[in-house]
Amino acid sequence: MNQSTNQTEESADLLISHATICTMDASRRVIRNGYVAVNNGTIVRIGEGNIPTDIRSAQTIDATGHVLLPGFIDTHTHIFQSFLKGLGADHRLIEWLNRSALPYGALMTPYQHRLAAQLTCMEALKSGCTTLCEFFYTDQNPQLADGCIAGMEDTGIRSVFIRTFQDAGEDYGMPACMIEPAEQAMEEVSRLRKDYADRGDMLSIWTGPDVTWSTTRDGYRTMLEYCLSENVRYAMHIDETEVDNAMCREHYGQDIIPMLDDMGFLTDKMLGVHCVNLTDDEIRRFADHGASVSYNPVSNMYLGSGAAPIRECLDAGVNVSVGTDGAASNNTTNYLESLKFAALIQKGFSRDAARITAEQTIAMATNGGAKAVGMEDRLGSIEIGKRADLVLFEPRHLTSIPMHDPYATIVYSSTPENIAMTIVNGRVVYRNGSFACGIDERDLAGAIDVELDKLRKQLVNN
């Protein structure tokens, strides 16, 4: 049976036919031989069987043998860290920050941020991501944010740019150049929202505190007042390690999440990143206030932080999404790899193979991601009226042959080689190794090597 917004002749910019469609809608409907019609970036028709004669399309893609699913939503990364893969390896969070991310982050230029954004976003697109959330904390120069956004837009990915702030933290190693009053930070957030207001939902501007040890109580209050008055969403690293609560107890006499709850900080506009050390009570608080979680399994293992209580969060009704984290603590932006870790870590630590299923993992990457970014009405499932952010998965590669179940194959048996096509807002941005933006991977690698050589020389001279 076909779904349609119009039974008369219908024009489409793009028509995908003969695919196995994992809709990820509320009923988890799978259409074995289906088609999807797209017009002006929006899904206008979904059906099963042959293409109806009343659809006229400018471009038709025969997806025989492929799986079509909603684009993945990476709810946490740090783009500049794509320059730093492998630096600071085998150290815990604070030591790793002071050996890699912070020294380089304090020196990088807007052009270098643009190159890093191209690298990160192209790798994300190549692994099935259609939306990327950039958690930006190198705020010492306003032009750095513009360079990062330019690089994101170069690639055609849907972007969430989270301009964070630090108003303290030198005693924990935060460079003085990155510290600013919260009021000044919110002025810059307002500037970005104004300058990029014409991007629609292809670019969203958020804010948030960076980490607990670089945020004062007054900083939290200032940011919260701004976000609630201006209807701005926010994210923060929280409960990634025991340092969060230790610092908060020392300065404020209580753990971080109860303190934020007392301030009214836990809302449905909040995305909590990592959440490794959430207690049962804190999970309940997240659920009661509608706050979302960004689960970053690879970086939590890489830095020895531990395994987040994801099953407990889901059972309590907390919305959970999946992030890769920055490529200096992952060390890639390969979202498919993060999905496999997301499932396996939960199984291994609990010794329960059914603790998180493949289908639940895909749901966190699609439905959960869409809700986490406040776009569940537009993203996260293949339904009429939603944005055409889609991924075409080709299972006929050695790693993934044979495919018995599409969810299991995607989560446990895939690599970026399986991503045949990534479509954002109805536009094909990646197809079989080529990017519509025209950026060549080897040329990009050469440009990054030149800039890294400059950064290394600066660090030596400093």
Side-chain angles (χ1 to χ4, degrees):
M1 182 176 178
N2 297 338
Q3 298 181 28
S4 175
T5 56
N6 186 354
Q7 295 301 318
T8 61
E9 188 173 270
E10 193 160 22
S11 295
D13 301 322
L14 176 66
L15 182 61
I16 302 170
S17 64
H18 304 300
T20 296
I21 305 173
C22 295
T23 65
M24 297 309 296
D25 63 10
S27 64
R28 296 288 191 270
R29 188 166 64 116
V30 176
I31 303 171
R32 294 297 173 183
N33 177 29
Y35 61 85
V36 172
V38 176
N39 199 44
N40 293 323
T42 300
I43 297 169
V44 295
R45 187 90 70 96
I46 305 168
E48 186 173 6
N50 292 326
I51 303 168
T53 57
D54 64 342
I55 300 178
R56 300 176 65 180
S57 178
Q59 180 184 11
T60 300
I61 295 167
D62 185 348
T64 301
H66 293 71
V67 178
L68 185 70
L69 63 155
F72 302 134
I73 298 170
D74 185 342
T75 55
H76 188 68
T77 194
H78 305 288
I79 278 173
F80 83 94
Q81 291 183 17
S82 281
F83 268 43
L84 312 177
K85 295 174 180 176
L87 286 178
D90 307 322
H91 290 276
R92 296 203 69 194
L93 178 64
I94 300 297
E95 293 81 9
W96 165 83
L97 276 170
N98 291 322
R99 287 170 176 266
S100 62
L102 294 179
Y104 279 85
L107 295 174
M108 286 180 67
T109 67
Y111 174 62
Q112 290 164 353
H113 275 273
R114 186 168 189 165
L115 292 177
Q118 291 173 356
L119 170 59
T120 300
C121 295
M122 289 168 65
E123 188 176 6
L125 292 169
K126 196 172 183 178
S127 61
C129 282
T130 53
T131 299
L132 186 75
C133 296
E134 158 60 5
F135 194 96
F136 190 87
Y137 61 83
T138 52
D139 302 317
Q140 62 271 22
N141 176 353
Q143 294 180 359
L144 299 176
D146 296 297
C148 182
I149 290 171
M152 297 178 84
E153 293 191 323
D154 288 340
T155 68
I157 202 166
R158 192 181 299 277
S159 305
V160 176
F161 186 84
I162 307 169
R163 199 284 189 188
T164 71
F165 72 97
Q166 300 88 207
D167 64 343
E170 281 192 85
D171 50 338
Y172 284 89
M174 186 63 64
C177 65
M178 295 183 185
I179 297 174
E180 63 183 334
E183 294 85 355
Q184 180 179 315
M186 295 309 103
E187 289 175 6
E188 181 60 16
V189 174
S190 292
R191 194 272 297 179
L192 291 169
R193 292 178 65 221
K194 180 180 178 181
D195 288 356
Y196 296 99
D198 62 346
R199 302 310 202 265
D201 59 14
M202 284 297 293
L203 172 64
S204 304
I205 305 294
W206 296 18
T207 188
D210 178 10
V211 288
T212 57
W213 60 85
S214 66
T215 311
T216 66
R217 192 194 293 263
D218 287 341
Y220 287 122
R221 287 199 181 103
T222 297
M223 188 225 77
L224 182 61
E225 289 172 5
Y226 173 82
C227 290
L228 295 183
S229 65
E230 299 296 327
N231 194 30
V232 174
R233 301 182 73 86
Y234 50 96
M236 68 177 292
H237 296 113
I238 192 164
D239 266 355
E240 182 175 2
T241 70
E242 66 281 355
V243 173
D244 288 38
N245 283 331
M247 172 272 189
C248 205
R249 287 190 204 109
E250 178 183 351
H251 291 280
Y252 304 120
Q254 61 183 146
D255 288 348
I256 180 63
I257 290 176
M259 186 188 85
L260 293 180
D261 194 8
D262 290 345
M263 295 172 60
F265 201 92
L266 304 184
T267 73
D268 61 2
K269 288 182 170 57
M270 177 183 167
L271 175 61
V273 180
H274 297 302
C275 300
V276 172
N277 295 301
L278 289 183
T279 66
D280 289 344
D281 173 69
E282 291 165 349
I283 290 170
R284 179 191 57 78
R285 292 173 190 252
F286 265 57
D288 288 347
H289 295 291
S292 291
V293 167
S294 176
Y295 170 35
N296 289 247
V298 177
S299 69
N300 294 157
M301 293 296 102
Y302 184 86
L303 296 174
S305 301
I310 296 305
R311 181 72 267 164
E312 291 83 353
C313 286
L314 293 172
D315 289 345
V318 176
N319 179 60
V320 179
S321 60
V322 178
T324 55
D325 209 352
S329 64
N330 182 300
N331 281 339
T332 74
T333 314
N334 176 359
Y335 197 78
L336 292 168
E337 182 181 72
S338 288
L339 289 185
K340 185 170 185 176
F341 270 83
L344 296 186
I345 287 168
Q346 296 298 313
K347 297 169 186 288
F349 273 78
S350 66
R351 300 189 179 187
D352 178 3
R355 191 166 181 82
I356 295 288
T357 68
E359 183 178 335
Q360 288 167 337
T361 305
I362 296 293
M364 290 190 290
T366 54
N367 307 151
K371 188 172 183 180
V373 300
M375 295 187 190
E376 63 267 39
D377 61 331
R378 285 161 280 173
L379 306 177
S381 61
I382 300 177
E383 298 181 78
I384 288 174
K386 289 200 170 184
R387 302 288 190 267
D389 285 15
L390 306 167
V391 173
L392 201 58
F393 180 90
E394 166 60 275
R396 291 165 294 187
H397 289 282
L398 296 178
T399 301
S400 46
I401 297 170
M403 183 178 74
H404 298 288
D405 171 74
Y407 300 119
T409 297
I410 293 166
V411 173
Y412 302 124
S413 308
S414 68
T415 72
E417 179 183 42
N418 295 103
I419 304 300
M421 187 178 300
T422 306
I423 300 165
V424 180
N425 213 36
R427 177 172 172 258
V428 177
V429 294
Y430 171 78
R431 185 172 190 174
N432 293 326
S434 297
F435 295 89
C437 63
I439 299 171
D440 178 80
E441 292 182 51
R442 287 186 176 272
D443 291 343
L444 179 60
I448 289 172
D449 284 343
V450 169
E451 297 303 315
L452 270 173
D453 187 54
K454 296 177 184 177
L455 285 169
R456 293 186 188 106
K457 288 177 181 177
Q458 283 182 273
L459 284 170
V460 169
N461 293 333
N462 287 349

